[in-house]
Structure formats: structure tokens, C-alpha cells
């Protein structure tokens, strides 16, 4: 209640207060292992890495690709870095398709202010799984230049469908690709734009 009503604590502080209750910690990446060990002072002996697995089977043959970059997320979340992705598409004039949720009139207005009048950028709304897989299969590139990202499951799913992956160089998502993604500085519009153009 302190966090919700008074803003006097945070989930990270709550985690710190409860850390002694747990005998085993499951993490998704080496990045989370380091955080748990260093920041929460938990022994490596009680930290086990359990990497996440994608939810769909690999495709049997490469689909025919179209020349656009795809992104799907909670678009209004600042950590997803959608505004810089849009600015990169405007500056470097590549086709960008955005999908996912936007909350309320304020986020809807924000998105339209960014993309209206730009022929190369399209927002297709929230997608069902079948529609999402269709975009994965058609997109040549999938971009996830997040500032904050745990694993980046959408990028993993897109890679199953043969997309070239543009991925943030911050945090754990790159661990899952083992050098097989184009890493970008998510704060640099030029780095994002040039690497997407190259991948396309």
C-alpha cells in the first residue's frame, strides 16, 4: 500500500526487504544473476538460471519477406523506446509497421503526433497471435531498441520466422542471441536507423 498510495517505497525496495525469505532464486539471464548476487547480496549457490523458451515451434521453411521493419510492444511504455524508433524511420525513410497496445487518449494522441503525415510508418493496432505471426513471417526486420528489457520474447519469436533482429545493446536480451542480432545504442537515432537500413 505504501507504494500505491503514498509512493514511499518501490518494488525493488520491497524485494530487498523480503530477500531473506527465499532459499532459491530463479533468473532468466546472466544479467539477472549479477543483479541478484550483487544488488541483493544473494549467494551464487542459491541462484539458478532458467532461460525462457519461445512459445511457438520453429518454421520449416523461410517465408517470402517484404521490405519493412516491424515492432510490437506496449508502444506507450517509455522503456520500449518507440519514439526514437519512429524518428529513425522518418530520418532514414524505411518502412516501419508498429503493432501493440496504446493506453488511453493521451498515448493515442502522442502516437499520431509522431506518425501522421509519414507515408512510410503504419500503426496496425493490437494483433491476435495469428495476425502477429503473419507480420513476423512477412517482415524482413524486427526492431527492439528498448532502454529497459528483460528478455525480449517478441524478438525471439520474430527470429523464429526468419527476421533480421535489431536489438538493444543494454541488458540481457543480447544474451539470447549469441552474436546473431544487430546491436544498437538505443539512445542513438542514427545508430538505430543505419543498422535497420543495413539489415533491410
Amino acid at each position: 500500500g505504501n507504494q500505491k498510495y503514498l509512493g514511499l517505497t518501490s518494488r525493488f525496495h520491497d524485494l530487498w526487504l523480503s530477500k531473506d525469505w527465499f532459499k532459491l532464486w530463479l533468473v532468466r539471464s546472466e544479467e539477472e544473476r549479477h543483479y541478484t548476487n550483487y544488488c541483493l547480496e544473494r549467494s551464487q549457490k542459491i541462484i539458478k538460471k532458467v532461460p525462457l523458451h519461445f512459445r511457438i515451434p520453429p518454421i520449416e521453411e523461410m517465408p517470402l519477406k517484404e521490405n519493412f521493419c516491424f515492432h510490437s510492444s506496449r508502444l506507450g511504455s517509455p522503456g520500449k523506446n518507440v519514439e526514437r524508433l519512429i524518428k529513425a524511420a522518418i530520418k532514414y525513410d524505411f518502412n516501419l509497421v508498429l503493432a501493440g497496445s496504446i493506453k488511453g487518449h493521451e498515448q493515442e494522441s502522442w502516437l499520431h503526433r509522431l506518425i501522421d503525415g509519414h507515408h512510410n510508418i503504419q500503426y496496425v493496432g493490437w494483433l491476435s497471435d495469428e495476425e502477429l505471426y503473419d507480420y513476423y513471417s512477412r517482415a524482413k526486420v524486427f526492431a527492439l531498441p528498448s532502454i529497459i528489457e528483460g528478455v525480449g520474447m517478441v524478438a525471439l519469436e520474430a527470429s523464429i520466422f526468419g527476421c533480421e533482429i535489431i536489438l538493444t545493446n543494454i541488458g540481457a536480451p543480447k544474451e539470447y542471441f549469441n552474436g546473431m542480432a544487430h546491436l544498437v545504442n538505443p539512445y542513438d537515432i542514427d545508430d538505430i536507423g543505419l543498422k535497420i537500413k543495413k539489415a533491410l
Side-chain angles (χ1 to χ4, degrees):
N2 283 342
Q3 181 181 0
K4 183 175 181 181
Y5 298 109
L6 302 176
L8 297 178
T9 185
S10 74
R11 64 183 185 272
F12 301 109
H13 184 253
D14 294 342
L15 184 60
W16 169 263
L17 291 177
S18 64
K19 66 188 175 69
D20 294 328
W21 299 349
F22 309 111
K23 295 179 181 178
L24 178 66
W25 292 73
L26 302 179
V27 298
R28 303 171 296 178
S29 63
E30 290 301 320
E31 180 96 0
E32 288 182 353
R33 180 194 296 276
H34 173 72
Y35 175 87
T36 305
N37 172 244
Y38 181 76
C39 299
L40 298 176
E41 299 178 350
R42 300 295 84 196
S43 166
Q44 292 281 8
K45 294 178 182 177
I46 63 169
I47 304 170
K48 303 298 179 191
K49 186 170 79 168
V50 183
L52 296 187
H53 196 277
F54 38 78
R55 60 188 173 139
I56 49 180
I59 59 174
E60 294 183 6
E61 63 180 73
M62 178 69 75
L64 185 64
K65 292 295 186 176
E66 299 173 24
N67 198 45
F68 69 90
C69 176
F70 181 52
H71 172 87
S72 179
S73 71
R74 296 182 315 279
L75 298 176
S77 173
K80 298 300 180 182
N81 203 26
V82 171
E83 187 163 333
R84 287 190 183 92
L85 178 59
I86 291 169
K87 288 178 178 178
I90 293 169
K91 183 172 183 177
Y92 289 95
D93 195 31
F94 57 82
N95 294 324
L96 175 63
V97 175
L98 301 168
S101 59
I102 48 177
K103 287 187 177 179
H105 180 69
E106 187 176 326
Q107 286 189 6
E108 186 177 359
S109 298
W110 160 81
L111 183 61
H112 283 288
R113 277 197 309 272
L114 289 171
I115 69 174
D116 284 356
H118 298 286
H119 68 282
N120 59 318
I121 305 173
Q122 179 184 9
Y123 172 56
V124 294
W126 182 88
L127 302 177
S128 68
D129 282 349
E130 291 74 18
E131 292 169 324
L132 183 63
Y133 300 161
D134 177 62
Y135 275 99
Y136 286 153
S137 68
R138 291 191 289 121
K140 189 176 283 186
V141 172
F142 183 88
L144 192 67
S146 308
I147 295 166
I148 300 169
E149 193 71 55
V151 170
M153 292 304 295
V154 285
L156 283 174
E157 289 183 356
S159 70
I160 293 168
F161 285 89
C163 295
E164 292 285 331
I165 303 300
I166 302 294
L167 195 64
T168 179
N169 66 7
I170 295 175
K174 59 185 176 288
E175 292 181 27
Y176 281 73
F177 285 86
N178 195 29
M180 293 183 285
H182 306 269
L183 300 184
V184 296
N185 174 355
Y187 294 100
D188 187 339
I189 291 168
D190 293 312
D191 193 28
I192 295 168
L194 287 169
K195 285 184 178 161
I196 290 174
K197 287 284 281 187
K198 182 179 179 181
L200 285 168

